[in-house]
């Protein structure tokens, strides 16, 4: 029996404990998402692009918004003609009130050259650039997975899975709709294009070897130069690109590059340019009034706003519902405390940053590096817009996540992949969860594009999701209705703003016009008085009050207001035209003709001025001069029956009955009602 006893070695060779760098891998680790097939890669990317176009196709029906689109496109005179002078202004000056982004403005100028005021091409361009960015995200994630193989071999093996979901979430996340379905946010998609391309170039640079692109050999220094060029182009598209050199450091950390002097010195040029573009952006925004005085919001509130923004963007990464394109600051009136949510945010932030260090403590080096990289990438891309330095009217804005979400999404999908490898039993559940989230994102994204259809749908959505202490949504919605000729629909917005005590001359002017349309002249004149109280130098207020006085038959008061409007702004034609018409009614024909002379000198192609001046000359006893205006008008508008009839009267006064009859007959042929007795009289005179 004893001979059959197994023998045990008394000495066991010591083995060095193995450091766990990822989640422990079980034998049945295989996750069948092969990355070996090019056809599969192309098919996945093509499918994502098709889904993206479906999500954003409704944007092709969208209109311009009355929220920056006028400043960026249809109201920007430098975009209207691609002359050398305009190009110099676009490239070397800030032609929008609060930003310097010449490449963005140049791209919009090219859009204007081909489509002018027609919005579809602008949106199509945004969609195409976004689709290009999706491809870049796919390539960047693939490259990152390949480069971290030294400590995470599973990432390289499953790079197609990780890259596919990262690209998919980037493509259809509802938080990105603002950057694509708003023409003014062309700067987001354009700067991200150069930014992502620059990061890919930087990865090539860190390989420290010559590589080939498009058949051209590029050295390490060559890749450095390409990276810097792409960084500059990104900064010239939007100042948020100043985070680029900081992101270079996070990539160094992710790749495990050795920390030495070169790591710092190679980025000095990038950092210097970031500081330069950052200071330029701050100066422009400060001069435009976009940056609030530091004493407007106290320091504790600024700190809380910073933590709030940092966390809320991450919350909306997973729960992108009830999105509000204009999320105003909370009520900061004296005696009003911030909601409890703001005080919880610092704690949430500390817990979030503790996650990667927990992995470090557990000696999960790969998870430590990836999660810290993801959080750092996100933080460094939003840190300048977390409202510690208050800029703009919104506390958070969806567009700021367009590039920033790359970091946390990469970390999340990487972590999901590691979990599926380590715990095969949950693989199907996790894939189902990721797929469900992707479907939810796509559905919400497509629905969100319809919110941006036009100013009415956009501001109505904002109003539903906001409280009344923010007045801008009501103002812009009311202005849109007025600009569209829908005066009745603007009344609820303007009357609400008046009740809220908004001190805006334009609000009261438009209210006054609405009351005037209903012949409620006392209310109209009261609102005009309030408008002048808040904006006494606005010529349009006096012009519109003058029109109201004219409708009331108070022509002397109307003329006084027209004179005031013209004195305030001699470049505006409306006051001058209305005054000329009023002078004609008051039979002050000489002054009326003088006004029409000025109008014709300014706008010689406006044919109505010739008709009106002819009428003033005719009524003022100068029929011969009137005939010249009528004949000139008829050369350009041969079927203008009104000009024919008035010319007939002028010839009649000149005792030229033949021409008078000729043009009277022509007027009747052009559907102008000429008195029968006038025709009979002329016919008798001609026949004799």
């Amino acid at each position: 029996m004893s001979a059959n006893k197994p023998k045990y070695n008394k000495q066991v060779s010591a083995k060095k404990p193995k450091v766990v760098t990822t989640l422990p891998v079980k034998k049945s680790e295989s996750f069948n998402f092969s990355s070996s097939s090019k056809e599969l890669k192309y098919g996945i990317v093509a499918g994502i692009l098709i889904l993206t176009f479906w999500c954003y196709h409704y944007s092709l029906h969208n209109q311009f918004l009355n929220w920056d689109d006028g400043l960026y496109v249809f109201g920007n005179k430098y975009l209207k003609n691609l002359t050398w002078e305009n190009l110099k202004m676009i490239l070397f000056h800030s032609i929008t009130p609060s930003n310097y982004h010449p490449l963005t403005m140049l791209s919009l100028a090219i859009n204007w050259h081909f489509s002018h005021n027609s919005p579809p091409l602008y949106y199509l361009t945004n969609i195409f650039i976004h689709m290009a960015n999706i491809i870049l995200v796919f390539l960047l994630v693939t490259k990152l997975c390949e480069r971290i193989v030294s400590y995470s071999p599973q990432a390289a093996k499953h790079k197609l899975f990780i890259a596919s979901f990262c690209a998919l979430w980037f493509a259809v996340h509802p938080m990105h709709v603002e950057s694509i379905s708003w023409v003014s946010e062309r700067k987001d998609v354009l700067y991200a294009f150069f930014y992502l391309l620059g990061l890919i170039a930087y990865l090539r640079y860190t390989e420290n070897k010559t590589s080939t692109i498009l058949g051209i050999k590029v050295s390490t220094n060559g890749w450095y130069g390409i990276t810097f060029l792409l960084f500059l182009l990104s900064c010239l598209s939007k100042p948020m690109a100043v985070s680029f050199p900081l992101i270079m450091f996070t990539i160094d950390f992710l790749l495990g590059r050795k920390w030495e002097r070169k790591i710092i010195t190679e980025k000095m040029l990038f950092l210097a340019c970031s500081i330069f573009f950052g200071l330029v952006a701050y100066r422009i925004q400060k001069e435009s009034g976009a940056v609030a005085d530091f004493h407007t919001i106290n320091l504790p509130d600024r700190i809380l706003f910073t933590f709030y923004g940092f966390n809320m963007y991450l919350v909306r990464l997973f729960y992108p519902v009830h999105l509000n394109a204009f999320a105003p600051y909370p009520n900061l009136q004296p005696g009003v405390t911030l909601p409890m949510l703001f005080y919880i945010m610092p704690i949430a932030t500390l817990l979030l940053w503790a996650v990667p260090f927990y992995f470090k403590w557990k000696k999960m080096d790969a998870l430590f590096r990836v999660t810290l990289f993801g959080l750092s990438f996100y933080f460094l891309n939003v840190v300048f817009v977390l409202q510690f330095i208050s800029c703009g009217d919104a506390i958070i804005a969806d567009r700021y996540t367009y590039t920033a979400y790359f970091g946390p999404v990469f970390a999340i999908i990487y972590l999901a992949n590691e979990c599926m490898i380590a715990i095969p039993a949950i693989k199907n559940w996790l894939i189902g969860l990721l797929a469900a989230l992707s479907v939810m994102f796509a559905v919400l994204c497509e629905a969100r594009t319809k919110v941006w259809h036009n100013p009415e749908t956009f501001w109505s959505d904002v109003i539903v999701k906001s409280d009344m202490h923010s007045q801008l949504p009501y103002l812009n919605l009311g202005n849109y209705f007025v600009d569209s000729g829908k005066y009745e629909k603007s009344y609820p917005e303007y009357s609400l703003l008046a009740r809220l005590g908004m001190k805006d001359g334009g609000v009261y002017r438009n209210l006054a016009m609405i009351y005037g349309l209903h012949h409620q002249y006392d209310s109209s004149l009261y609102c005009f008085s309030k408008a002048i109280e808040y904006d006494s130098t606005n010529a349009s207020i006096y012009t519109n009050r003058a029109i109201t006085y004219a409708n009331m038959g108070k022509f002397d008061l109307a003329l006084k207001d027209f004179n005031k409007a013209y004195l305030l702004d001699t470049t505006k034609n409306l006051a001058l035209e209305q005054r000329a018409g009023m002078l004609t009614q008051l039979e002050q024909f000489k002054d009326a003709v003088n006004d029409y002379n000025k109008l014709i000198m300014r706008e010689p192609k406006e044919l109505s001025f010739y008709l009106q001046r002819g009428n003033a000359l005719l009524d003022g006893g100068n029929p011969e001069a009137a005939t010249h205006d009528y004949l000139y008008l008829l050369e350009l508008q041969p079927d203008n029956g009104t000009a024919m009839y008035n010319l007939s009267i002028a010839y009649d006064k000149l005792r030229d009955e033949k021409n008078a009859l000729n043009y009277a007959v022509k007027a009747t042929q052009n559907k102008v009602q000429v008195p029968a007795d006038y025709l009979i009289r002329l016919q008798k005179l001609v026949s004799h």
Side-chain angles (χ1 to χ4, degrees):
M1 294 287 291
S2 61
N4 295 327
K5 285 184 178 181
K7 295 180 179 181
Y8 297 98
N9 292 327
K10 294 182 179 180
Q11 294 182 353
V12 180
S13 59
K15 292 184 179 180
K16 187 178 181 179
K18 188 176 182 180
V19 176
V20 178
T21 60
T22 63
L23 289 175
V25 178
K26 294 188 177 181
K27 190 173 182 180
S28 57
E29 58 150 49
S30 60
F31 180 66
N32 298 320
F33 205 102
S34 172
S35 60
S36 61
S37 170
K38 286 186 178 180
E39 290 77 9
L40 180 59
K41 292 179 185 178
Y42 295 151
I44 289 173
V45 173
I48 293 172
L49 295 179
I50 292 170
L51 177 62
T52 301
F53 193 83
W54 174 81
C55 286
Y56 284 99
H57 76 280
Y58 189 82
S59 296
L60 299 177
H61 304 288
N62 287 0
Q63 301 173 16
F64 291 120
L65 296 183
N66 60 348
W67 194 31
D68 288 354
D69 283 354
L71 298 173
Y72 277 79
V73 186
F74 58 84
N76 195 310
K77 64 181 181 180
Y78 298 108
L79 269 60
K80 304 300 176 66
N81 290 296
L82 287 175
T83 62
W84 175 240
E85 291 300 320
N86 282 350
L87 281 174
K88 286 195 295 184
M89 290 299 300
I90 290 171
L91 295 176
F92 303 113
H93 297 82
S94 174
I95 62 171
T96 56
S98 57
N99 280 296
Y100 173 66
H101 32 46
L103 289 188
T104 295
M105 300 310 297
L106 181 60
S107 74
L108 292 171
I110 294 171
N111 273 148
W112 179 274
H113 178 74
F114 289 103
S115 59
H116 296 283
N117 267 333
S118 179
L121 185 60
Y122 296 86
Y123 291 110
L124 185 63
T125 305
N126 280 11
I127 293 170
F128 281 168
I129 299 175
H130 177 56
M131 292 169 76
N133 291 341
I134 294 166
I135 297 172
L136 293 179
V137 167
F138 184 90
L139 295 174
L140 179 58
V141 173
T142 301
K143 197 68 178 175
L144 288 174
C145 289
E146 292 171 351
R147 293 293 303 279
I148 62 176
V149 67
S150 61
Y151 61 82
S152 181
Q154 295 301 322
K157 185 176 181 180
H158 301 301
K159 62 185 177 183
L160 182 56
F161 169 80
I162 299 172
S164 298
F165 268 103
C166 285
L168 176 60
W169 284 20
F170 178 85
V172 301
H173 201 284
M175 289 286 282
H176 292 168
V177 171
E178 182 170 313
S179 297
I180 295 101
S181 294
W182 184 16
V183 171
S184 295
E185 280 309 306
R186 168 71 55 79
K187 51 186 178 286
D188 266 351
V189 291
L190 192 60
Y191 107 85
F193 175 77
F194 295 116
Y195 196 99
L196 294 168
L197 207 53
L199 293 180
I200 294 172
Y202 180 66
L203 285 174
R204 288 293 188 95
Y205 162 75
T206 59
E207 292 174 356
N208 201 27
K209 64 181 181 181
T210 299
S211 54
T212 303
I213 179 171
L214 300 176
I216 302 172
K217 289 186 177 180
V218 183
S219 66
T220 300
N221 290 336
W223 281 115
Y224 182 87
I226 292 172
T227 302
F228 182 71
L229 175 62
L230 291 168
F231 162 62
L232 280 182
L233 294 175
S234 188
C235 287
L236 292 171
S237 300
K238 187 175 183 178
M240 277 189 74
V242 297
S243 65
F244 188 89
L246 302 177
I247 298 303
M248 294 166 73
F249 282 113
T250 68
I251 288 179
D252 292 339
F253 170 76
L254 182 67
L255 300 183
R257 290 185 75 195
K258 185 178 179 180
W259 291 94
E260 53 189 6
R261 176 177 290 185
K262 180 185 176 183
I263 294 287
I264 305 295
T265 57
E266 69 188 8
K267 299 177 181 67
M268 294 304 293
L269 181 60
F270 291 83
L271 289 167
C273 286
S274 283
I275 293 170
F276 171 76
F277 280 106
L279 290 175
V280 169
Y282 180 80
R283 179 183 62 82
I284 293 173
Q285 297 217 346
K286 184 74 173 177
E287 290 176 354
S288 70
V291 179
D293 186 83
F294 201 82
H295 300 290
T296 304
I297 303 173
N298 62 52
L299 182 60
D301 284 351
R302 289 178 183 273
I303 295 172
L304 291 175
F305 292 161
T306 300
F307 284 114
Y308 175 83
F310 178 84
N311 286 280
M312 285 308 299
Y313 287 131
L314 290 175
V315 169
R316 291 186 175 188
L317 172 59
F318 297 99
Y319 190 66
V321 297
H322 305 299
L323 299 182
N324 186 353
F326 183 79
Y329 286 88
N331 193 342
L332 298 176
Q333 296 296 323
V336 179
T337 58
L338 293 175
M340 182 58 65
L341 181 63
F342 284 84
Y343 298 95
I344 297 173
M345 290 304 178
I347 301 172
T349 303
L350 291 174
L351 292 174
L352 193 60
W353 281 102
V355 172
F357 294 98
Y358 170 80
F359 290 134
K360 180 69 173 177
W361 178 57
K362 287 292 186 178
K363 298 183 179 179
M364 298 178 179
D365 186 59
L367 293 180
F368 165 65
R369 287 183 179 275
V370 172
T371 53
L372 188 57
F373 164 77
L375 275 176
S376 300
F377 188 104
Y378 163 73
F379 172 70
L380 293 173
N381 271 284
V382 298
V383 64
F384 301 111
V385 292
L386 289 178
Q387 302 300 6
F388 182 77
I389 298 176
S390 181
C391 183
D393 298 317
I395 189 170
I396 57 175
D398 299 357
R399 59 187 177 275
Y400 296 142
T401 67
Y402 186 74
T403 302
Y405 270 176
F406 175 86
V409 169
F410 175 71
I412 290 163
I413 303 302
Y414 176 89
L415 181 59
N417 181 66
E418 290 291 312
C419 289
M420 287 186 285
I421 293 170
I423 313 172
I426 67 170
K427 181 177 74 174
N428 292 335
W429 288 99
L430 271 178
I431 293 175
L433 176 61
L434 294 176
L437 285 171
S438 303
V439 171
M440 179 186 76
F441 292 160
V443 171
L444 292 174
C445 176
E446 194 273 338
R448 184 73 183 156
T449 62
K450 297 175 182 177
V451 170
W452 294 80
H453 176 61
N454 63 24
E456 181 175 2
T457 57
F458 176 76
W459 291 114
S460 296
D461 181 77
V462 170
I463 288 170
V464 168
K465 297 171 181 175
S466 305
D467 54 35
M468 289 186 182
H469 82 266
S470 176
Q471 300 173 345
L472 182 65
Y474 299 94
L475 176 64
N476 284 347
L477 181 58
N479 290 345
Y480 167 70
F481 286 139
V482 168
D483 293 339
S484 303
K486 304 174 183 177
Y487 293 96
E488 298 295 336
K489 295 187 73 173
S490 69
Y491 179 77
E493 276 64 46
Y494 287 140
S495 59
L496 174 63
L497 291 171
R499 291 197 301 274
L500 292 174
M502 188 174 195
K503 298 179 179 181
D504 184 283
V507 168
Y508 282 96
R509 176 200 59 201
N510 292 342
L511 262 178
M513 292 166 61
I514 295 168
Y515 284 126
L517 289 173
H518 289 276
H519 306 292
Q520 299 178 26
Y521 294 123
D522 289 341
S523 297
S524 178
L525 293 176
Y526 169 79
C527 288
F528 275 126
S529 297
K530 296 292 290 184
I532 291 171
E533 178 184 340
Y534 297 133
D535 191 357
S536 61
T537 61
N538 189 328
S540 69
I541 297 175
Y542 292 94
T543 299
N544 284 286
R545 188 171 70 171
I547 294 171
T548 301
Y549 278 135
N551 291 334
M552 296 171 67
K554 299 181 178 181
F555 299 117
D556 291 339
L557 291 175
L559 183 58
K560 182 179 178 181
D561 271 354
F562 281 135
N563 290 335
K564 178 68 174 180
Y566 185 65
L567 286 173
L568 287 172
D569 191 348
T570 59
T571 65
K572 295 294 184 182
N573 289 343
L574 178 60
L576 191 59
E577 182 181 1
Q578 293 285 345
R579 186 177 74 172
M582 182 60 57
L583 289 168
T584 301
Q585 290 187 42
L586 294 174
E587 298 184 357
Q588 298 179 28
F589 301 114
K590 183 178 179 180
D591 292 334
V593 170
N594 287 336
D595 280 353
Y596 285 124
N597 289 339
K598 294 175 185 176
L599 288 166
I600 289 171
M601 287 182 65
R602 293 179 184 178
E603 293 188 47
K605 294 183 180 180
E606 179 54 56
L607 301 183
S608 65
F609 294 156
Y610 295 94
L611 178 65
Q612 292 163 356
R613 185 174 68 177
N615 294 344
L617 289 167
L618 181 61
D619 293 339
N622 194 349
E624 184 174 0
T627 60
H628 298 304
D629 277 340
Y630 296 140
L631 287 170
Y632 177 76
L633 177 57
L634 288 171
E635 285 180 14
L636 301 175
Q637 287 185 343
D639 57 349
N640 191 318
T642 302
M644 293 172 187
Y645 179 49
N646 292 353
L647 180 57
S648 170
I649 295 173
Y651 278 128
D652 184 37
K653 290 182 179 291
L654 292 170
R655 301 184 182 279
D656 186 348
E657 289 83 5
K658 184 176 181 180
N659 275 323
L661 178 60
N662 180 33
Y663 282 102
V665 171
K666 288 182 178 181
T668 59
Q669 292 170 350
N670 282 276
K671 300 180 180 180
V672 174
Q673 292 185 349
V674 178
D677 57 346
Y678 176 70
L679 283 170
I680 293 171
R681 181 174 65 79
L682 291 176
Q683 288 169 349
K684 288 181 178 180
L685 290 171
V686 170
S687 63
H688 286 85

